[in-house]
């Protein structure tokens, strides 16, 4: 697999206006480049701006200044609907609170992004079942989120993030709501997506155990990149 | 995505029911009121047409006061005065009143039947009575059907047992199909109107003289009212027009209430579903997809409530026919009325859902996933 930058952030600034003349700088000129197949952890204390960074990388929010390239395409000035397409086609999301639709079953939740892309129910459900099998939920497909444990819900969310076969998975504190054992299973699942399927994984966390599995760790503090560390011991596969 | 919309609706049955209720009521109101006013219109016009376009109808003016009869009677001998008037070809007295409030009851002599288009009418069963019969009655087929009457059956009027001797099938002339006809003298006897009539029908020698004769009667007989068939049709048209306006008015009001109901319940439902909608946007739903989802929910609700509204409307029409209209199927839901009301309900529902759908499509995914 040839190396190419799947994410390129150039001088990203995000300001929030609080009232008339109070401006808060959530991000102050961040430059990050992430290559395909990388497993990257973004680490920082709460309030460091890591969630804002994640939202900008995930095309859920736009930077005040700077440019974001996803697979070479500048998304920083895209309109809402164009961003929706990028989120659907290029990115998969895993959230701390799982964020499943409560009224839908596991299989329907997983199929959802594919249905949004205009794929028919039958095809989307077929693919959703395959993915649920892969994450070990063969016997939970017809269950609704409230009938699943936290770990199972997060697996459903991971299956959902894979449905449109994106190259990039963004995970925001994916183990934050889980007990140690379930958290560990999710960490391993994410890692296997990177190792076995070659997905680019970006994990935002303040959980050091999770961060240590990553190839690269980017530390964020006060809206700036404080430092970066690369895991030297692991052999880069590819 | 229709399955997802349907699922959302069935997951929240009470909310769906409340949102749909307005449309159900609006359609039921439009269908039932519309069919009543259309039925009334047809009935009144048929009845008048039955008298022929060239007649002058003379009645006594209604005197105000308690106990005044709806159709006042007068001395039948006045017919001779009308006959003697210039330009009058013939004049006949008849008894015309209402049985059970809405069924026309007509007492008429054999020689005068031509005045009411009854001379050559077809019979489904049996035939005419004679002038001197004292217990015979002829009914229209609609009335017979409503009362399940056959020739030889008994019909009680004013506590007298009469025998049905004929059932008229006047085809398109619905006025005849829903009336009761009696021999003139028998009608006078039954209604305690010996020597009296309630209507005089005048046939002018030439139709162009009808207005002149009418005016002359109005001038010379202060207590009497004279109208040509045309006048009566115009007057009936006004009354029916008023009923029609009331129908439209009620339709508009119920529609507005329904629309406001839909908007309010949908907006509150969207506020409740903010997180769900935000998640959908976060995982790639465009504003268009979200809008379509909400509009489809509205479409499904409007189709179901349209069917319910039509059923309730049909039932209301049945109740009206069986109570106010003595069992005759006067108020009728025509296919055009049903289709019109149904499509109107769908349109109303979709238009009302436009704003909530737009609002839903603007849900901020970040807010939703933060919560």
């Amino acid at each position: 697999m040839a190396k190419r930058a799947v994410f390129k952030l150039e001088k990203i600034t995000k300001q929030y206006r609080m009232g008339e003349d109070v401006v808060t700088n959530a991000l102050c000129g961040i430059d990050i480049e992430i290559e395909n197949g990388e497993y990257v952890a973004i680490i920082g204390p709460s309030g460091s701006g890591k969630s804002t960074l994640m939202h900008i990388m995930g095309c859920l929010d736009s930077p005040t200044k700077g440019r974001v390239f996803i697979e070479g395409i500048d998304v920083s000035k895209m309109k809402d609907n164009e961003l929706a397409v990028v989120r659907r086609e290029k990115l998969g999301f895993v959230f701390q609170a799982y964020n499943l639709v409560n009224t839908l079953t596991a299989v329907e939740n997983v199929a959802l992004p594919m249905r949004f892309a205009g794929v028919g129910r039958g095809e989307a459900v077929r693919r959703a079942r395959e993915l649920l099998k892969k994450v070990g939920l063969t016997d939970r497909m017809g269950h609704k989120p409230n009938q699943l444990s936290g770990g199972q819900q997060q697996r459903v969310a991971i299956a959902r993030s894979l449905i449109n076969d994106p190259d990039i998975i963004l995970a925001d504190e994916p183990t934050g709501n889980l007990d140690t054992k379930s958290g560990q299973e999710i960490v391993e699942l994410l890692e296997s997506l990177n190792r076995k399927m070659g997905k680019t994984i970006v994990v935002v966390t303040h959980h050091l155990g999770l961060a240590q599995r990553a190839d690269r760790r980017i530390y964020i503090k006060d809206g700036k990149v404080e430092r970066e560390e690369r895991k030297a011991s692991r052999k880069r596969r590819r | 995505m229709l399955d997802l919309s349907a699922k959302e609706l069935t997951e929240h049955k009470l909310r769906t029911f409340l949102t749909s209720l307005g449309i159900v009521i609006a359609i039921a109101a439009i269908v039932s009121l519309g069919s009543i006013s259309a039925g009334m219109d047809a009935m009144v016009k048929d009845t008048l047409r039955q008298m022929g376009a060239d007649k002058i109808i003379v009645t006594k003016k209604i005197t105000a006061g308690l106990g005044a009869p709806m159709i006042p009677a007068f001395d039948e001998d006045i017919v001779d005065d009308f006959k003697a008037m210039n330009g009058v070809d013939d004049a006949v007295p008849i008894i015309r009143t209402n049985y059970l409030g809405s069924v026309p009851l007509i007492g008429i002599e054999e020689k005068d039947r031509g005045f009411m288009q009854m001379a050559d009418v077809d019979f489904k069963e049996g035939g005419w009575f004679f002038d001197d019969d004292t217990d015979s009655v002829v009914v229209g087929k609609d009335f017979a059907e409503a009362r399940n009457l056959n020739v030889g059956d008994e019909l009680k009027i004013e506590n007298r047992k009469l025998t049905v001797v004929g059932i008229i099938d006047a085809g398109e002339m619905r006025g005849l199909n829903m009336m009761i006809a009696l021999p003139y003298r028998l009608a006078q006897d039954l209604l305690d109107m010996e020597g009296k009539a309630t209507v005089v029908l005048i046939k002018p020698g030439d139709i162009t003289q009808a207005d002149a004769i009418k005016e002359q009667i109005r001038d010379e007989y202060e207590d009497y009212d004279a109208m040509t068939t045309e006048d009566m049709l115009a007057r009936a048209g006004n009354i029916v027009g008023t009923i029609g306006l009331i129908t439209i008015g009620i339709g508009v009001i119920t529609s507005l209430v329904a629309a406001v109901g839909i908007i309010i319940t949908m907006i509150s439902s969207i506020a409740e579903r903010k997180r769900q909608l935000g998640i959908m946007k976060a995982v790639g739903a465009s504003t268009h997809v979200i809008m379509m989802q909400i509009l489809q929910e509205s479409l499904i609700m409007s189709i179901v409530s349209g069917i319910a509204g039509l059923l309730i409307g049909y039932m209301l029409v049945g109740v009206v026919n069986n109570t106010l209209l003595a069992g005759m199927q006067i108020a009728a839901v025509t296919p055009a009325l049903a289709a019109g009301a149904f499509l109107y309900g769908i349109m109303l529902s979709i238009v009302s859902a436009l704003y909530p759908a737009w609002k839903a499509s603007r849900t901020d995914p970040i807010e939703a996933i933060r919560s």
Side-chain angles (χ1 to χ4, degrees):
Chain A
M1 203 190 296
K3 280 188 199 172
R4 58 191 163 89
V6 289
F7 267 114
K8 195 172 173 201
L9 278 65
E10 286 182 356
K11 298 186 177 58
I12 296 298
T13 302
K14 181 71 183 179
Q15 295 178 326
Y16 292 107
R17 197 168 280 279
M18 314 279 200
E20 278 289 301
D21 35 35
V22 184
V23 174
T24 311
N25 290 308
L27 299 174
C28 328
I30 292 220
D31 292 292
I32 294 177
E33 203 171 310
I34 296 172
E35 285 170 0
N36 60 330
E38 262 196 293
Y39 184 175
V40 177
I42 295 174
I43 307 145
S46 58
S48 59
K50 62 184 191 305
S51 283
T52 305
L53 179 63
M54 182 71 159
H55 294 153
I56 288 173
M57 290 171 82
C59 296
L60 293 164
D61 206 352
S62 303
T64 312
K65 277 185 217 154
R67 295 204 291 173
V68 181
F69 295 88
I70 294 179
E71 295 185 340
I73 301 160
D74 186 356
V75 299
S76 33
K77 295 287 176 280
M78 277 188 177
K79 297 206 168 61
D80 267 7
N81 277 337
E82 296 169 314
L83 291 174
V85 176
V86 175
R87 288 198 293 272
R88 194 167 69 211
E89 314 281 338
K90 308 259 183 221
L91 306 171
F93 287 95
V94 179
F95 302 100
Q96 179 174 1
Y98 329 126
N99 284 339
L100 301 174
V101 176
N102 290 328
T103 51
L104 301 180
T105 61
V107 77
E108 287 167 333
N109 263 293
V110 174
L112 210 51
M114 204 173 195
R115 308 274 319 264
F116 292 152
V119 175
R121 186 173 195 279
E123 169 65 14
V125 164
R126 195 188 54 74
R127 169 127 174 91
R129 285 178 184 281
E130 279 173 22
L131 287 169
L132 283 170
K133 258 183 225 166
K134 274 191 188 161
V135 299
L137 289 176
T138 311
D139 55 346
R140 289 283 184 276
M141 295 195 186
H143 289 56
K144 287 188 178 167
N146 60 10
Q147 298 166 315
L148 299 170
S149 71
Q152 289 170 333
Q153 289 189 58
Q154 198 60 299
R155 284 161 187 269
V156 174
I158 290 172
R160 178 180 66 186
S161 75
L162 296 169
I163 188 88
N164 284 328
D165 199 20
D167 290 335
I168 307 159
I169 307 291
L170 295 173
D172 189 359
E173 300 281 9
T175 58
N177 284 11
L178 299 175
D179 58 59
T180 317
K181 184 171 173 284
S182 311
Q184 190 56 36
E185 286 167 4
I186 294 300
V187 169
E188 275 158 21
L189 186 54
L190 284 172
E191 204 173 304
S192 79
L193 296 181
N194 176 248
R195 308 282 181 251
K196 291 183 187 155
M197 296 169 76
K199 304 284 180 199
T200 308
I201 309 272
V202 181
V203 178
V204 167
T205 187
H206 60 258
H207 184 259
L208 287 175
L210 172 58
Q212 270 156 11
R213 316 286 288 243
D215 301 332
R216 182 151 62 112
R217 292 184 286 281
I218 301 172
Y219 292 84
I220 304 280
K221 198 177 174 189
D222 300 329
K224 291 179 191 136
V225 176
E226 194 187 33
R227 65 193 158 94
E228 281 193 38
E229 284 173 3
R230 219 170 257 281
K231 190 172 179 179
S233 59
R234 215 186 84 199
K235 228 196 293 171
R236 298 290 291 265
R237 85 256 147 253
R238 75 181 68 136
Chain B
M1 303 289 284
L2 218 55
D3 57 317
L4 294 178
S5 300
K7 185 149 191 169
E8 185 58 38
L9 295 175
T10 48
E11 285 287 327
H12 300 96
K13 292 190 182 66
L14 181 64
R15 185 166 80 196
T16 305
F17 172 73
L18 291 174
T19 315
S20 311
L21 199 58
I23 293 285
V24 175
I25 294 171
I27 292 180
I30 290 168
V31 166
S32 53
L33 292 170
S35 68
I36 291 167
S37 74
M40 291 292 224
D41 184 35
M43 180 177 74
V44 170
K45 285 182 177 158
D46 285 351
T47 309
L48 289 171
R49 247 178 240 122
Q50 188 189 324
M51 295 180 182
D54 56 344
K55 302 294 189 305
I56 297 155
I57 298 128
V58 181
T59 52
K60 196 166 184 197
K61 281 182 182 160
I62 295 170
T63 44
L66 276 174
M70 280 299 287
I71 303 175
F74 48 82
D75 196 335
E76 64 185 2
D77 292 340
I78 200 167
V79 171
D80 296 330
D81 296 357
F82 295 144
K83 272 186 189 166
M85 282 173 68
N86 262 344
V88 170
D89 177 46
D90 198 4
V92 301
I94 60 168
I95 301 279
R96 191 195 182 287
T97 180
N98 289 325
Y99 171 69
L100 295 178
S102 61
V103 182
L105 188 149
I106 291 161
I108 193 163
E109 286 196 22
E110 187 179 348
K111 67 176 172 55
D112 301 333
R113 281 178 200 148
F115 273 76
M116 299 285 286
Q117 319 287 318
M118 291 179 187
D120 304 316
V121 77
D122 290 329
F123 277 82
K124 187 181 162 197
E125 210 185 340
W128 279 115
F129 42 67
F130 298 104
D131 280 346
D132 53 0
D133 280 357
T134 54
D135 62 352
S136 303
V137 62
V138 161
V139 297
K141 72 172 168 75
D142 289 350
F143 182 77
E145 260 169 45
R147 291 310 176 89
N148 198 19
L149 288 173
N150 293 306
V151 164
D153 287 352
E154 192 177 85
L155 177 66
K156 210 168 182 184
I157 296 176
E158 297 291 324
N159 288 324
R160 273 271 284 278
K161 287 176 185 169
L162 306 177
T163 307
V164 176
V165 296
I167 294 171
I168 287 175
D169 181 354
E172 291 299 300
M173 294 214 287
R174 304 206 313 168
L176 290 180
N177 286 335
M178 57 181 69
M179 65 155 192
I180 300 172
L182 298 167
Y184 180 63
R185 296 294 162 203
L186 174 59
Q188 285 180 328
D189 186 24
L190 278 182
L191 301 166
D192 284 330
M193 287 186 182
E194 278 79 12
K196 290 190 155 110
T198 62
V199 179
V200 173
L201 296 177
I202 296 173
K203 190 178 165 195
D206 183 336
I207 192 160
T208 57
Q209 291 172 299
D211 277 327
I213 296 167
K214 173 186 83 180
E215 292 303 331
Q216 195 186 341
I217 294 170
R218 285 182 174 179
D219 288 346
E220 290 179 17
Y221 301 87
E222 278 189 359
D223 294 344
Y224 290 83
D225 195 8
M227 279 188 290
T228 60
T229 320
E230 222 170 276
D231 294 341
M232 292 211 42
L233 271 173
R235 187 183 286 188
N238 278 340
I239 294 169
V240 170
T242 309
I243 297 174
L245 279 180
I246 293 170
T247 305
I248 292 170
I250 292 175
V252 166
I253 292 167
T254 50
S255 302
L256 281 177
V257 172
V260 170
I262 291 170
I263 294 170
I264 291 172
T265 42
M266 285 199 112
I267 284 180
S268 73
S269 120
I270 279 154
E272 262 176 56
R273 284 161 67 186
K274 202 170 178 176
R275 193 175 130 82
Q276 178 194 331
L277 293 166
I279 293 168
M280 287 165 75
K281 284 195 83 174
V283 299
S286 59
T287 51
H288 172 78
V289 164
I290 302 279
M291 267 196 93
M292 286 311 290
Q293 163 98 11
I294 304 291
L295 290 178
Q296 277 174 1
E297 286 173 21
S298 169
L299 177 71
I300 295 170
M301 273 193 285
S302 68
I303 289 173
V304 175
S305 30
I307 293 168
L310 285 181
L311 288 176
I312 293 174
Y314 270 108
M315 288 192 310
L316 284 177
V317 168
V319 170
V320 167
N321 277 332
N322 287 324
T323 53
L324 297 178
L325 300 170
M328 288 180 299
Q329 308 306 307
I330 292 170
V333 184
T334 60
L337 179 65
F342 188 71
L343 291 178
Y344 175 73
I346 289 178
M347 189 206 73
L348 184 69
S349 187
I350 300 238
V351 169
S352 309
L354 279 176
Y355 174 69
W358 178 82
K359 209 170 153 55
S361 76
R362 315 315 289 181
T363 307
D364 181 4
I366 295 180
E367 256 182 71
I369 57 177
R370 262 198 204 124
S371 57

